[in-house]
Amino acid sequence: MKSVTLVEETRAGLVENVHTGMITGVNEQLETVYHAGDMAHYTYYRSASKPIQALPVFLTDIIAKYGLTNEEAALFTASHRGESYHIAVLESMLAKLPVREHELYCPASYPLNNEPKEEMLRENKEKRRLYHNCAGKHIGFITVCREMGFPVEGYWEVDHPLQQQILNILSELSEVPKADIHIGMDGCGVPVFAIPLKNMALTYLKLACPDVIKDADLRKAVTQMTSIMNEHPRIIASENFICTTLLEDPNIVAKGGAQGVYCFGLKKERIGFALKVLTGSEDVWPVVVASILEQINYENNETIARLRALKPSIVKNDAGIMVGEIKEKFMLI
């Protein structure tokens, strides 16, 4: 495994933190057009797989059948952060769909964002499965099971028909044979998949440019899903978070996962990118992605500026005094 230094954090000129990793950018011919580090490194998608895991919903007529709004449908792909608007939409979904909260396999949790979490703690509210960031995904899983006649019990097991369908979809989008896809268990208890970083980038190229997908039904499902993600970016994460910031750009399809993995596809440029920060840091995603976009001369400078605002290069202390810097150190080749 060959990695490169992606980001250095310094304080008073002394290196305090170093974030290493790898980046790959591919085109629709699976040709590597940009890279830094090992493009063959097997990487778990973590929550970057949520758009792929949501596709079984979009391959059915569930959204129309149950009268879901696009805002509600966006939650099937989301890592929601527990803001009031997330909870309101989740509650609305549960009122429409043949799902009950206790059926969700994801554990009871507090919201990811500090403000709603602290508010719930002050009000002595208990954890709920609905507050887990994967709740929308699990609601989608159960709904598909009922729609397709699959058993709900064990929907989280790798040999369940739903998880096998997802595995087939991933194999088609990534062009990795099922036998070569490494399978583990994600934080919410469902299967999580690892493939070479290069193929991970290919999946996001296909999400951004679904016209290259051979299967017509899958192509239509991806088109609908990614349009909804761009239409409701704050549902996918929340304000001041990189996924929402990138999805506000209609040219980008993006989703991150735990332990430093991030994926995005560029529609006009027809390139998919995948990156892995080996420290597992999510904090440096905006720095790395902004630098990638700058290095490829991305046209939308507003998107780059919004990313830079999420993680400024100047480090300030609690009194607002500059004490250090955050610098990207990689060059794409």
Side-chain angles (χ1 to χ4, degrees), residues 234-248:
R234 75 171 186 165
I235 292 295
I236 309 305
S238 68
E239 291 88 350
N240 301 315
F241 197 78
I242 183 172
C243 292
T244 294
T245 297
L246 287 173
L247 287 166
E248 287 172 346

Side-chain angles (χ1 to χ4, degrees), residues 26-28 48 51-52 55 173-174 199-213 218-230 246-247 249-255 263-274 293 298:
V26 303
N27 63 18
E28 58 200 276
I52 298 166
L55 282 168
L173 292 178
S174 67
N199 298 82
M200 188 178 289
L202 179 64
T203 63
Y204 269 76
L205 178 278
K206 291 183 178 180
L207 293 183
C209 304
D211 58 283
V212 304
I213 298 173
L218 185 58
R219 183 166 63 245
K220 180 180 177 181
V222 168
T223 301
Q224 180 188 16
M225 180 186 69
T226 54
S227 174
I228 285 172
M229 291 173 71
N230 285 124
L246 287 173
L247 287 166
D249 184 332
N251 188 52
I252 299 178
V253 176
K255 186 71 181 67
C263 303
F264 63 98
L266 304 176
K267 300 176 185 180
K268 180 180 177 182
E269 294 77 7
R270 302 181 74 80
I271 302 173
F273 281 95
L293 294 177
Y298 187 62

Side-chain angles (χ1 to χ4, degrees), residues 6-7 9 19 277 279 281-289 311 326:
L6 299 177
V7 176
E9 299 181 60
H19 301 277
V277 183
T279 57
S281 173
E282 300 176 17
D283 288 342
V284 297
W285 281 343
V287 178
V288 176
V289 175
K311 190 70 173 177
I326 299 173

Side-chain angles (χ1 to χ4, degrees), residues 7-273:
V7 176
E8 281 187 357
E9 299 181 60
T10 64
R11 187 175 296 264
L14 183 69
V15 175
E16 193 168 38
N17 293 307
V18 177
H19 301 277
T20 61
M22 53 277 293
I23 302 166
T24 302
V26 303
N27 63 18
E28 58 200 276
Q29 286 79 39
L30 192 52
E31 297 169 339
T32 300
V33 289
Y34 298 103
H35 76 97
D38 185 1
M39 69 187 77
H41 178 64
Y42 262 71
T43 305
Y44 281 115
Y45 275 90
R46 303 300 300 270
S47 283
S49 67
K50 281 180 176 169
I52 298 166
Q53 292 168 312
L55 282 168
V57 173
F58 292 89
L59 284 164
T60 71
D61 66 349
I62 283 171
I63 294 170
K65 178 178 179 179
Y66 293 99
L68 296 181
T69 66
N70 283 352
E71 185 178 36
E72 290 166 342
L75 267 166
F76 293 130
T77 72
S79 293
H80 84 79
R81 303 191 66 84
E83 294 293 340
S84 59
Y85 52 84
H86 291 126
I87 305 306
V89 176
L90 283 162
E91 295 275 16
S92 177
M93 291 173 72
L94 281 181
K96 296 178 179 180
L97 295 171
V99 179
R100 297 295 174 261
E101 185 172 350
H102 73 270
E103 295 179 298
L104 305 185
Y105 188 66
C106 57
S109 176
Y110 284 120
L112 289 180
N113 279 357
N114 286 331
E115 188 172 333
K117 177 181 178 180
E118 291 170 359
E119 181 180 348
M120 290 174 187
L121 289 170
R122 285 194 300 271
E123 296 176 358
N124 293 316
K125 291 185 176 180
E126 295 183 356
K127 295 179 179 179
R128 291 179 61 182
R129 286 179 169 85
L130 211 62
Y131 298 159
H132 194 284
N133 80 94
C134 297
K137 175 177 74 176
H138 284 256
I139 291 171
F141 284 165
I142 294 173
T143 306
V144 169
C145 286
R146 293 216 156 99
E147 191 70 14
M148 300 299 294
F150 300 155
V152 172
E153 180 63 30
Y155 74 80
W156 52 88
E157 301 287 353
V158 69
D159 59 352
H160 188 277
L162 172 64
Q163 299 302 331
Q164 287 298 304
Q165 181 186 11
I166 292 168
L167 184 61
N168 288 332
I169 291 170
L170 174 61
S171 179
E172 181 167 349
L173 292 178
S174 67
E175 300 182 18
V176 176
K178 288 195 296 181
D180 294 336
I181 297 174
H182 190 83
I183 304 174
M185 182 184 291
D186 213 341
C188 66
V190 301
V192 62
F193 309 108
I195 62 174
L197 200 69
K198 179 178 181 180
N199 298 82
M200 188 178 289
L202 179 64
T203 63
Y204 269 76
L205 178 278
K206 291 183 178 180
L207 293 183
C209 304
D211 58 283
V212 304
I213 298 173
K214 295 177 182 178
D215 183 272
D217 291 336
L218 185 58
R219 183 166 63 245
K220 180 180 177 181
V222 168
T223 301
Q224 180 188 16
M225 180 186 69
T226 54
S227 174
I228 285 172
M229 291 173 71
N230 285 124
E231 183 181 342
H232 295 284
R234 75 171 186 165
I235 292 295
I236 309 305
S238 68
E239 291 88 350
N240 301 315
F241 197 78
I242 183 172
C243 292
T244 294
T245 297
L246 287 173
L247 287 166
E248 287 172 346
D249 184 332
N251 188 52
I252 299 178
V253 176
K255 186 71 181 67
Q259 297 301 314
V261 64
Y262 206 87
C263 303
F264 63 98
L266 304 176
K267 300 176 185 180
K268 180 180 177 182
E269 294 77 7
R270 302 181 74 80
I271 302 173
F273 281 95

